[in-house]
Amino acid sequence: MRPINSKIDTGSAQFKTNRAAYEETITTLGERQQWAIDGGPHRQRSIERHLARGKEMARDRIDLITDIDTAFLELSTLSGYGQYDDEVPGGGIVTGIGIVHGVPYVFVANDATVKGGSLVPIAIKKHVRAQQIAEENGLGVIYLVDSGGAFLPLQDEIFPDKDHFGGSFYRQARLSAQGLPQLSVVLGGCTAGGAYVPALSDEAIMVEGIGRIFLGGPPIVKAALGEIIDPDDLGGAELHTRVSGVSDYMADTEREAYGRLREICLTTNQRSVDEHQPWADWVEPESPAHDPSELYGIVSADHRIPFDATEIIARMVDGSKFAPFKPEWGESIVCGFARVWGHLVGIVANNGIIFSESALKATHFIELCEQRRIPLLFLQNTSGYMVGRDSEAGGIAKNGAKMVAAVANATVPRYTVLIGGSYGAGNYGMCGRGFNPRFLFAWPNSRIATMAADTAETVLVDIRLGGLKGAETTDEEIAAMRAEVRDQYETQSDPYYATSRLWDDGLIDPVHTRDALGLCLALAARQDEPAPGPGLVYRM
Ligand code: COA
């Protein structure tokens, strides 16, 4: 691997303009993330009530459990953003990866200050996604349960289908069977379906006075049986720990419960975060030689001006060292080997439109990584595959399909970051969400859609005019159609629209991307070697 020779002039007007624009983008990201954490005025009352009950906030709970001086990788902080009348910040659930006694765990923590911790559709999606991450990365799950269960007004969107509420219990049972610890601390009501989170756990702790588990709460018991009963007598910590045995331990306070949970974690017999297995190539890490904060000045403020993927790589990888593959062929895709926090990775990064040659080069490179058992990192910034007569005649459809097939069948760990545009089938060939990368993060400047707004405006208006079969249409009507399509595409390709719907695992500051990827790669390196894939390398 050779050091990348950067051509960026940090004193140029363009660099300064880009940097100023990106700093504003980062300020907006920070403000929106803070809103998801603090909530709006409506939530303040719930927070005050929660704290007055002597309860800790969801993120503070995680902080009390995880090892001091370790970072928590929070996922999808902005899920639900702009949905549900903005009354469900973060989707009402906090998920992420934290370290306990050196061992990484997935955390799923209900936020009881948002709709009583009940689960709206995006919360269920986030809960199930966290469990999927646990399964793929071989991680135990710690559930901090403080939830009103299913959000009843939207029951049809959360209850019956695959990967709805039932899917979360299905996954919990199967994760346990795979030897991945399922541990619960009950910190609030667990009613009806919610009772199964602790009941399906390998070990459960209840906190006296706040934790309650029942299949039917006091109002249901009164209606069904005419019994009037106090919630603690029906399903409190004492009843479940000393009488029913639904809970294994009880604690007088939250802090005592977290101490007990950490003791349990000492007995789970899981690999620590730095126990790299022999198949995973790892050396002592080095910092990038080029300052990662220069990424702000490299990413173009104007979406129409391209930026060089190699300059991005230079600010993400160890020592800014890179071994490019086929650098003089198919130049609109940059492929090559580098290290991120010491882990060897194969990088596939776009430099704009994907042509036949670039698709074939990427296919060849993906097969090499698969054969050599090297994880793949995709950096997406493309308007898609090349269209037009020459491109079609050159077989772009089959060449693109080769790349898509190679990505779909690679068994090595794959990671994706949207660093710019993610349009059309370029999203697929570059390991978009549909191709199940282990983690997918997006930068706050990214855009994702079938096509860019200006292309959609032309295509859709032409289709509509074709449908009118020559009927008279005024210039004003055509302009209104264009404006409508553009507005729709601009709204829906916005990264906040995407992250709100969990099309990614979170928006991430470019400067923090290397650290997040380092943890993700470490999770895979502690696992056994992935099942062998096709292993063949075809010269394309
Ligand atoms: N569906 C929809 N909304 C729910 C809800 C649910 N399952 N559980 C709680 N909420 C909402 C409340 O309507 C209230 O909304 P608001 O802030 O807009 O007024 C908010 O969450 C807080 O609820 P509240 O009852 O005031 O809080 P609490 O802390 O005193 O009690 C619970 C919390 C969860 C113990 C209690 O709300 C409860 O028992 N909920 C119903 C549980 C249930 O029967 N679930 C069945 C799931 S299948």
Side-chain angles (χ1 to χ4, degrees), residues 198-538:
L200 280 167
S201 290
D202 303 337
E203 293 184 69
I205 306 167
M206 285 186 81
V207 178
E208 172 73 353
I210 55 172
R212 287 171 194 139
I213 303 175
F214 21 64
L215 292 189
I220 293 178
V221 171
K222 185 178 171 203
L225 306 169
E227 285 178 15
I228 296 174
I229 186 161
D230 173 83
D232 275 327
D233 291 338
L234 184 64
E238 179 145 349
L239 175 100
H240 281 313
T241 316
R242 300 206 168 124
V243 181
S244 74
V246 170
S247 152
D248 307 306
Y249 314 94
M250 64 186 272
D252 288 336
T253 62
E254 285 198 36
R255 282 166 194 254
E256 187 189 327
Y258 303 141
R260 176 55 65 95
L261 177 70
R262 284 183 57 86
E263 277 172 33
I264 293 173
C265 289
L266 281 174
T267 66
T268 54
N269 199 13
Q270 301 293 298
R271 285 181 191 153
S272 73
V273 72
D274 49 13
E275 247 176 276
H276 310 121
Q277 300 305 298
W279 71 274
D281 184 331
W282 184 84
V283 299
E284 276 299 320
E286 10 168 3
S287 301
H290 294 287
D291 180 356
S293 77
E294 288 171 5
L295 290 167
Y296 297 157
I298 296 170
V299 174
S300 303
D302 181 342
H303 288 211
R304 290 162 304 182
I305 300 176
F307 53 89
D308 184 357
T310 306
E311 298 287 359
I312 303 294
I313 295 167
R315 285 148 185 92
M316 276 167 77
V317 304
D318 291 17
S320 302
K321 289 178 201 149
F322 187 53
F325 169 76
K326 260 182 179 317
E328 280 153 63
W329 201 76
E331 286 166 30
S332 79
I333 282 191
V334 174
C335 298
F337 299 102
R339 291 187 182 273
V340 175
W341 277 99
H343 301 276
L344 184 61
V345 285
I347 299 177
V348 182
N350 301 113
N351 258 342
I353 297 173
I354 308 174
F355 295 88
S356 271
E357 281 185 353
S358 13
L360 294 175
K361 167 171 146 182
T363 310
H364 185 163
F365 183 71
I366 291 163
E367 289 178 347
L368 271 186
C369 291
E370 179 66 6
Q371 185 206 50
R372 297 178 188 176
R373 314 273 73 197
I374 298 171
L376 278 157
L377 169 60
F378 294 85
L379 302 178
Q380 290 201 6
N381 182 20
T382 181
S383 49
Y385 289 91
M386 186 63 190
V387 297
R389 191 187 174 284
D390 289 350
S391 188
E392 300 293 355
I396 186 74
K398 71 177 159 66
N399 294 329
K402 285 173 191 159
M403 182 174 164
V404 168
V407 171
N409 286 297
T411 62
V412 292
R414 295 163 303 143
Y415 307 89
T416 304
V417 184
L418 272 54
I419 63 169
S422 173
Y423 291 111
N427 169 285
Y428 306 151
M430 290 294 292
C431 203
R433 196 62 146 179
F435 288 75
N436 293 318
R438 286 192 179 210
F439 289 91
L440 189 153
F441 298 110
W443 286 0
N445 60 293
S446 63
R447 293 286 180 276
I448 179 166
T450 47
M451 58 185 79
D454 40 7
T455 318
E457 183 184 309
T458 310
V459 172
L460 277 164
V461 171
D462 280 357
I463 292 171
R464 279 199 209 169
L465 291 177
L468 294 174
K469 295 194 171 49
E472 196 77 0
T473 317
T474 64
D475 287 349
E476 287 76 26
E477 283 168 336
I478 293 174
M481 276 186 215
R482 285 190 187 284
E484 188 196 324
V485 172
R486 169 169 284 276
D487 191 44
Q488 181 202 344
Y489 267 72
E490 275 175 357
T491 302
Q492 295 180 351
S493 57
D494 188 86
Y496 292 93
Y497 187 92
T499 202
S500 170
R501 286 157 181 76
L502 236 74
W503 297 348
D504 53 52
D505 294 312
L507 296 185
I508 193 166
D509 183 331
V511 173
H512 301 153
T513 307
R514 167 183 157 77
D515 292 348
L517 289 171
L519 173 63
C520 297
L521 286 158
L523 298 180
R526 64 190 266 289
Q527 290 180 275
D528 292 339
E529 185 175 339
L536 281 170
V537 177
Y538 289 108

Side-chain angles (χ1 to χ4, degrees), residues 42 46 49 53 87 115-116 118 147-153 189 191-193:
H42 177 75
S46 314
R49 208 162 55 125
R53 288 171 174 169
E87 283 187 10
K115 299 285 171 202
S118 61
S147 164
F151 183 74
L152 295 169
T191 311

